[in-house]
Each structure stands twice: as structure tokens, then as C-alpha cells.
Amino acid sequence: MTTTEQTSKDLSAGAGAAGQYLIGGELPVHRMGFGAMRLPAAHWDGPAHDPDRSIAVLRRAVELGVNHIDTASFYFYEDIAANDLIRKALHPYPDDLVIATKVGPGRFPDGSWTDPADPAELRAAVHRNLRELGRDHLDLVYLRFLRTDGPGEDRFATLAALRDEGLIRHLGVSSATPEQFAEAQEIAPVAAVQNRYSPLTREHAELVGLCAARDIAYVPYFPFGGAGAPELTALRRVADRHGATPAQVTLAWLLAVSPTMLTIPGTSSPAHLEENVAAAGLRLDDVDLAELTELTELTEHATPTGRA
Ligand SMILES: NC(=O)c1ccc[n+]([C@@H]2O[C@H](COP(=O)([O-])OP(=O)(O)OC[C@H]3O[C@@H](n4cnc5c(N)ncnc54)[C@H](OP(=O)(O)O)[C@@H]3O)[C@@H](O)[C@H]2O)c1
């Protein structure tokens, strides 16, 4: 399901240089996307980012060819919310823009987290996303699990019913165990899995492989490990060989790991946005990939700063 124009390296390329993937076999996105979690603030507890700068970042992302934006109603800090920023920046939306969101836990206005949503709350969360984004349907909705969650059949069935009602186009699971993923697939087609994955955190390698084998999108969160671009010797060495940055090598590595991998690096920085999107044009060779494989030993040691 991928179509990739393989140039050796073109760091001035837009998001389209990463190639295209069809979510659920029919919804095209460029494999280089954008994550909106960092737009309201650097972390859950701030500091806030300038909303005008975040709006400019969103508009520039689309100009650069990004057509897959990942968000959630619970991405907010005080009165700055990712969904509001997306609507202000981009509505009326380009026809090809795919906006993915997630439901499951919620957050109270003071920022504290609610318990996992029950089916009625999930319905309300989907309607809230529709309202906030100003859309009549949602392209991709993930059921987002918490570490303490058990099976999610009744909740995934609720989302499947909303899909049948035409409010959701495709379903996904996020922060899911292989068991929760398998249970969801028994209920309705899972078009995407959004779990953590980066050169530093590869504990979900099995799911990455499963998704590749079944042509399901794998959308890694915390692509940089959750704590800013990693500064590791191997990443720096490969980056220097290509005239690239460690952040760009990280993103190119993710795109090389699996043909169904879609990256959604998050930033509120215009310069980081340009840098990240340019990684769509970076192709790593076998020597690079072998060198980066050695990072496996480090995978247990990442210390993300966001909520996983
Ligand atoms: N499903 C889930 O549970 C879940 C959890 C977390 C995230 N997500 C999604 O996944 C997306 C990606 O995760 P993330 O953004 O939190 O990933 P991340 O790995 O934490 O990367 C973002 C961090 O890296 C910095 N950064 C970005 N580009 C950089 C660059 N080129 N050089 C140096 N630093 C850079 C950002 O700071 P600056 O703003 O200063 O650039 C930010 O601190 C999120 O936006 C969200 O949509 C989902």
C-alpha cells in the first residue's frame, strides 16, 4: 500500500517525499505527518506555547505537504487546545487533509485525568471532537488504552457502531497490548495502531511487524523517545554522513523500519517543523541501518517526559 519515490537524499523535499500510504486500504496520506500534542504547551503542566506561533506551524506543515495530523481533545493547556488551534489554522480544511484523533481517557479542565471512558462517554468524546474540529465525520479515531485498562471490547464496539453510523471513517487502537489489538480486530477492522516506538524505545517491535504483515498503519508516538531529539553517537555519525541532523535520521529510520510506518513528529517550533518534514527526503542505506540497529541495547533506558 505504499508508493515511494526513492531519491537518495533530498533534504529540501516536502512531506510527499516520504511516499504515500493508504489508511484502511483507501485513505491516502503522506508517510510524514504531524503530531499536535506539543502545540498548546511543551508539557502537560506547561509552559504554554504562543498560539499564533502554533497556528503558523500548522499552516506551514500543510504548505510543506503534510496531510496527516494527529490530535486529541485532551491535548490542551489551560485555555489553549490543539483541536481549536487546528480549526483556527486550517478550517475550511484542504480536501486531502486527514485528521486523526483519539478517545479513551479524558481530562478535567484543571488538567487532571479522568478514569477511562465508558461507552456513553466515548460517544460524547467523539461528538466533542467533531464539534471542536468543525467536521461532520472523523477520518481516524483511536481507542486509547491506559496501562491499567483490561479488555476494551465494549468500548471498541461503541466506536465500531459510530463508524457504522458514518461518524468515523477508520478505527485504530493506541497504547494497546497485542491482546487488546487482537480483541479489537475481532470486532471491527483496525486500520492503525498508535503505540510508542523510536530508536530508543522498541518494546513494540512485535506489533510493528504484525502491522506490516497485515498492511495496518503503525503510527509511532514519541518518535524522539519523548524527551526531545536524542543525541546519540550513532545517530550523529549517520547524520554527519548525510549532512542531516540526528532528528532527521531518527525519522528516516522510522520510515525505513516498516512500509506501514507513518511518522507524526510533534513540535511547536517552525525551525524543527522544517527540519522534520525535510527528513521525508532522507534515505538511509544498509550501512546506516546496521549501525542504528546497535542502538537496540539502549532501548530500555529512555526517559520520556510526556504521558505514555
Ligand atoms: N497515543 C498516545 O498515547 C500518544 C502519546 C504521546 C504522543 N502522541 C502523539 O504523537 C505525537 C508525537 O509525539 P511527541 O511529539 O510527543 O514526540 P517526542 O518524541 O516527544 O518529540 C517531541 C519533542 O521533541 C522536540 N522536537 C521536535 N522536533 C525536534 C527537532 N527537529 N529537533 C529537536 N527537538 C525536536 C519537541 O520540542 P519543540 O516543540 O521545541 O520542537 C518536543 O519536545 C504527538 O504530537 C501526539 O500527536 C500520542
Side-chain angles (χ1 to χ4, degrees):
M1 289 293 174
T2 56
T3 51
T4 309
E5 294 291 318
Q6 294 280 349
T7 54
S8 61
K9 58 190 158 190
D10 176 4
L11 294 181
S12 62
Q20 180 175 276
Y21 179 77
L22 300 177
I23 294 175
E26 60 90 25
L27 187 59
V29 290
H30 293 146
R31 294 180 65 213
M32 177 62 69
F34 179 80
M37 189 179 85
R38 306 279 179 173
L39 291 177
H43 305 287
W44 298 117
D45 54 355
H49 284 139
D50 173 5
D52 289 336
R53 190 173 85 142
S54 293
I55 285 173
V57 163
L58 281 163
R59 290 186 177 145
R60 182 68 182 140
V62 169
E63 269 173 24
L64 290 170
V66 167
N67 60 8
H68 172 208
I69 295 179
D70 183 79
T71 186
S73 273
F74 47 81
Y75 292 166
F76 67 84
Y77 177 69
E78 296 184 339
D79 61 350
I80 310 170
N83 281 356
D84 293 344
L85 293 170
I86 291 169
R87 185 176 181 159
K88 275 185 197 142
L90 301 174
H91 195 278
Y93 300 111
D95 288 344
D96 69 341
L97 181 66
V98 169
I99 303 180
T101 189
K102 48 199 97 62
V103 293
R107 287 173 75 207
F108 294 112
D110 72 358
S112 60
W113 290 86
T114 65
D115 289 333
D118 64 23
E121 289 163 339
L122 281 182
R123 272 190 172 265
V126 165
H127 282 282
R128 178 176 171 181
N129 275 281
L130 286 166
R131 218 171 35 246
E132 289 172 347
L133 291 166
R135 299 211 107 170
D136 62 4
H137 74 278
L138 299 170
D139 299 313
L140 171 61
V141 177
Y142 298 91
L143 176 59
R144 203 242 186 236
F145 291 91
L146 296 174
R147 282 201 194 94
T148 48
D149 278 1
E153 289 104 322
D154 56 336
R155 292 180 296 142
F156 200 75
T158 300
L159 295 186
L162 288 164
R163 191 187 69 131
D164 294 344
E165 291 166 31
L167 296 183
I168 298 175
R169 194 152 158 184
H170 291 289
L171 300 175
V173 291
S174 176
S175 294
T177 62
E179 294 72 32
Q180 289 162 332
F181 167 65
E183 285 160 10
Q185 277 197 310
E186 294 288 312
I187 294 164
V190 174
V193 173
Q194 185 176 129
N195 279 14
R196 202 163 123 175
Y197 202 66
S198 80
L200 293 163
T201 52
R202 302 187 202 179
E203 71 270 27
H204 293 299
E206 183 193 335
L207 265 177
V208 171
L210 260 179
C211 286
R214 296 182 191 175
D215 197 12
I216 292 170
Y218 189 98
V219 186
Y221 73 75
F222 288 158
F224 300 125
E231 255 301 339
L232 298 169
T233 310
L235 282 174
R236 171 59 67 189
R237 247 194 329 263
V238 175
D240 286 349
R241 282 206 293 273
H242 288 279
T245 66
Q248 290 176 321
V249 171
T250 300
L251 296 173
W253 177 83
L254 284 167
L255 291 170
V257 159
S258 156
T260 71
M261 188 82 78
L262 310 178
T263 58
I264 50 162
T267 182
S268 66
S269 147
H272 286 166
L273 171 74
E274 301 276 344
E275 180 182 334
N276 295 345
V277 173
L282 176 61
R283 298 286 176 268
L284 302 179
D285 59 29
D286 291 345
V287 175
D288 302 328
L289 294 173
E291 202 165 332
L292 296 172
T293 301
E294 291 166 18
L295 288 174
T296 310
E297 288 79 51
L298 296 169
T299 58
E300 302 307 318
H301 303 296
T303 50
T305 54
R307 182 187 168 96

